[in-house]
Amino acid sequence: PSMIGMVKTRVNYDVLSYLPDSLETVSGQDIMVDEFGMGAFSMVIVENMDNKDVVALKEKLEKVDHVEKIIWYDSVADISLPTDMLPNELKEALFNGDATMMIALFDNTTSSEDTMQAVTDMRNMVKDQAFISGMSGIVTDIKNLVQAELPVYIVIAGILALIVLLITMESIVTPVLFLLCIGLAILYNMGTNIFLGQISYITQALTAVLQLGVTMDYSIFLLESYQANKVRFDNDKERAMAHAISNTFKSVVGSSITTVAGFAALCFMTFALGRDLGIVMAKGVIIGVIVCITLLPSLILFFDKWIDKTTHRAIFPNFHKSSAFITRHRVIPLLIFAILFVPAFYGNNHVKSYYNLTKDLPQDLKSCIANSKLSDDFDLVASQVILVNKDIK
């Protein structure tokens, strides 16, 4: 059922749908769709094609689903009219050397699934003949990038976690059991998202790695408590595990509740994406605790002999001398961190934030190439639609 739930949960790639309706950007986009039948647009740059071929390409693009209209030279004049006879402003806007620009209007919003599918269909149609720029092209590339790389970095996160656990733990089997339990907890969490109806692609991309990071400690607590209680109860495994479960639950309940509260705080963001991520991650922490005190103890008891057989000397050094030094000279750490507070405060107040979605995207993406063409050929970096009340005189 968890697999079915995960597959059936819709992934929402429209980030703008999480913005409050009161924002001018959202209300303006809705007005464009309702009043003008179009809510998004892209610039299509065509190079090394004569006017007749451009017209033929334009007619093909207009047949793509959810493409409302394509605006070009022939929308205002017959193509038999020489371009030199056009007003300079119109000529410079549509032509530059061997390049010409068309404007594609879509019947849905910028990052809706319909618009992204239309961009994909247009790219498949034009191939290397043209370049499709604009925000819709960017969100389409981000969607494709996330879908392609999501399994890759989840596997990388698992491998790195396994390496760390193998170095820090004294058995080869326990890291595998830990990752198995956390993997199942992630699966259960993603499967229960079906009750939410949908999650954002950002939540889908972050959940697995975040849940792995914030719930791994619970498994370590359980194992350490179990090993200590085995010595205490003369190797009575069942009794030792019973006490380990009790001790672990007491230890992690405060930590997990704090973590859940932190993620729950995201639900109060006006930007509803925070609520989406907060609910999924808070649920994931709770499921992680449940799996840690139910499934993991069963697996540890079942594979206890294998755990003992694969036990080796600790690779990771202990910190007895360091801890003894800190306790004897406890004033020194206080002074160090008091001094570090000044540069930390300065750095926090002077770090710059950026909101450019394309800044960290690979420059070989189709949207980045198209935006570069748009900038180089037409000196156009960004464009907006301005809605004006018809009653304004």
Side-chain angles (χ1 to χ4, degrees):
S2 295
M3 286 293 296
I4 294 172
M6 186 172 65
V7 173
K8 293 292 185 179
T9 301
R10 177 177 175 269
V11 179
N12 185 6
Y13 291 91
D14 187 356
V15 178
L16 298 182
S17 66
Y18 293 98
L19 292 172
D21 294 335
S22 58
L23 289 181
E24 289 185 2
T25 306
V26 178
S27 58
Q29 190 170 237
D30 291 339
I31 292 172
M32 288 175 60
V33 174
D34 296 337
E35 300 295 334
F36 298 96
M38 49 83 72
F41 61 94
S42 287
M43 307 301 183
V44 182
I45 301 95
V46 182
E47 295 180 336
N48 302 316
M49 291 179 65
D50 59 37
N51 287 350
K52 290 184 179 179
D53 290 335
V54 174
V55 171
L57 179 62
K58 174 191 170 187
E59 292 174 351
K60 288 169 59 179
L61 292 176
E62 286 181 324
K63 294 178 182 178
V64 173
D65 290 341
H66 304 293
V67 174
E68 179 69 19
K69 189 177 182 182
I70 304 288
I71 298 176
W72 186 60
Y73 172 27
D74 66 339
S75 300
V76 294
D78 192 276
I79 61 170
S80 60
L81 180 69
T83 56
D84 291 336
M85 296 182 64
L86 292 174
N88 286 334
E89 290 185 359
L90 182 60
K91 179 182 176 182
E92 292 174 1
L94 297 179
F95 296 93
N96 183 21
D98 295 330
T100 184
M101 179 177 66
M102 299 185 288
I103 304 174
L105 307 178
F106 303 102
D107 63 9
N108 214 322
T109 54
T110 300
S111 54
S112 68
E113 292 185 3
D114 291 340
T115 302
M116 287 191 285
Q117 185 58 51
V119 170
T120 301
D121 293 340
M122 290 170 65
R123 285 174 173 174
N124 293 335
M125 184 176 293
V126 301
K127 297 188 184 302
D128 296 330
Q129 292 179 295
F131 306 90
I132 302 170
S133 67
M135 193 63 193
S136 296
I138 292 172
V139 294
T140 301
D141 283 339
I142 292 175
K143 169 189 173 181
N144 296 334
L145 200 62
V146 170
Q147 287 180 332
E149 294 188 350
L150 178 61
V152 177
Y153 65 72
I154 289 178
V155 170
I156 292 174
I159 293 173
L160 293 176
L162 180 62
I163 293 173
V164 172
L165 290 172
L166 288 172
I167 293 173
T168 57
M169 307 199 73
E170 298 178 2
S171 173
I172 299 175
V173 175
T174 47
V176 178
L177 298 181
F178 286 1
L179 291 178
L180 175 62
C181 284
I182 294 176
L184 289 173
I186 293 171
L187 176 60
Y188 300 149
N189 185 27
M190 300 302 287
T192 54
N193 288 333
I194 192 172
F195 298 110
L196 301 176
Q198 66 176 23
I199 59 172
S200 77
Y201 75 94
I202 295 176
T203 300
Q204 183 196 42
L206 295 178
T207 296
V209 176
L210 280 177
Q211 190 172 339
L212 173 66
V214 300
T215 61
M216 177 63 75
D217 291 347
Y218 309 154
S219 302
I220 298 173
F221 291 158
L222 177 75
L223 181 64
E224 292 293 329
S225 180
Y226 171 63
Q227 290 174 338
N229 280 292
K230 274 207 309 183
V231 176
R232 177 186 174 192
F233 295 109
D234 195 23
N235 216 30
D236 185 346
K237 298 175 182 178
E238 287 74 14
R239 189 178 180 187
M241 183 57 76
H243 282 271
I245 293 172
S246 176
N247 295 338
T248 300
F249 184 75
K250 291 177 183 178
S251 299
V252 305
V253 67
S255 172
S256 61
I257 290 176
T258 304
T259 307
V260 169
F263 285 121
L266 295 175
C267 297
F268 294 93
M269 290 176 60
T270 304
F271 187 27
L273 183 63
R275 181 178 68 245
D276 188 76
L277 179 61
I279 291 174
V280 174
M281 281 307 306
K283 178 163 56 71
V285 172
I286 295 171
I287 292 174
V289 173
I290 294 172
V291 169
C292 176
I293 61 175
T294 55
L295 177 60
L296 183 58
S298 301
L299 288 173
I300 290 176
L301 288 173
F302 187 82
F303 289 99
D304 192 66
K305 291 182 179 178
W306 289 97
I307 294 173
D308 291 338
K309 289 181 179 179
T310 57
T311 299
H312 55 78
R313 291 183 61 185
I315 301 174
F316 203 68
N318 61 58
F319 294 91
H320 296 321
K321 293 182 179 180
S322 301
S323 58
F325 177 83
I326 292 172
T327 53
R328 287 198 306 269
H329 305 87
R330 49 188 173 275
V331 177
I332 296 177
L334 290 174
L335 291 174
I336 292 174
F337 282 92
I339 294 171
L340 289 176
F341 174 79
V342 176
F345 182 80
Y346 178 87
N348 179 66
N349 289 332
H350 289 80
V351 66
K352 294 182 179 179
S353 300
Y354 65 88
Y355 301 91
N356 184 0
L357 288 177
T358 62
K359 180 178 175 64
D360 294 321
L361 288 177
Q363 293 306 301
D364 59 350
L365 290 180
K366 292 181 179 180
S367 60
C368 293
I369 295 173
N371 288 338
S372 296
K373 290 282 186 182
L374 185 65
S375 176
D376 295 340
D377 293 344
F378 296 95
D379 197 25
L380 185 62
V381 179
S383 54
Q384 303 293 333
V385 173
I386 300 176
L387 298 176
V388 182
N389 192 308
K390 65 179 181 181
D391 297 328
I392 293 179
K393 297 180 181 180

